[in-house]
Amino acid sequence: MSVIVSLIYFILILSVIVIVHEFGHLIAAKKFGVYCKEFSIGMGPVIWKRQKGETQWSIRALPIGGFVAMAGEDEEGEEEKLEIPFERTIPGIKKWNKLLSWQQGQS
């Protein structure tokens, strides 16, 4: 029984760390004007989502990890469909701002 409780505590603590980490990316990206399509806690299928402003906030089924979907990342052509100005994408911001809002091979 204590192994299960320890595992639950581990997942909860790891989830808090990931949420704080990804929220830091979101805050930095928003501060530099980068369009953020989604802020997600967890991975896998969406079990809850809410649109607030231009960002969709979601909770996903697997309580591991999380992400911030920013314009100019991996989704080719997404910016054109949404008509996002180049200055609001990761490649469009100053190089020193990229260090704070985005990292190559995100965690």
Side-chain angles (χ1 to χ4, degrees):
M1 186 66 170
S2 68
V3 172
I4 294 172
V5 172
S6 296
L7 184 61
I8 290 171
Y9 283 144
F10 173 75
I11 290 171
L12 286 174
I13 291 170
L14 189 61
S15 295
V16 168
I17 291 169
V18 168
I19 291 167
V20 170
H21 174 87
E22 294 301 331
F23 195 67
H25 285 299
L26 179 70
I27 290 171
K30 292 277 189 180
K31 180 163 178 62
F32 299 127
V34 175
Y35 174 82
C36 297
K37 180 180 177 184
E38 181 178 4
F39 175 82
S40 178
I41 299 168
M43 299 290 178
V46 175
I47 58 175
W48 177 88
K49 66 181 176 180
R50 173 153 300 149
Q51 189 75 28
K52 185 175 179 188
E54 65 185 18
T55 303
Q56 176 181 294
W57 297 72
S58 63
I59 298 176
R60 294 176 177 250
L62 302 173
I64 52 172
F67 65 89
V68 180
M70 296 180 234
E73 286 186 312
D74 298 328
E75 299 177 27
E76 297 294 324
E78 185 73 20
E79 294 79 32
E80 289 82 25
K81 285 189 268 182
L82 297 174
E83 297 180 9
I84 299 168
F86 181 71
E87 299 79 34
R88 296 212 53 213
T89 65
I90 292 292
I93 62 174
K94 296 177 183 171
K95 291 186 188 284
W96 64 273
N97 290 344
K98 290 179 193 178
L99 293 173
L100 297 175
S101 60
W102 182 74
Q103 58 193 21
Q104 196 72 25
Q106 290 194 311
S107 57

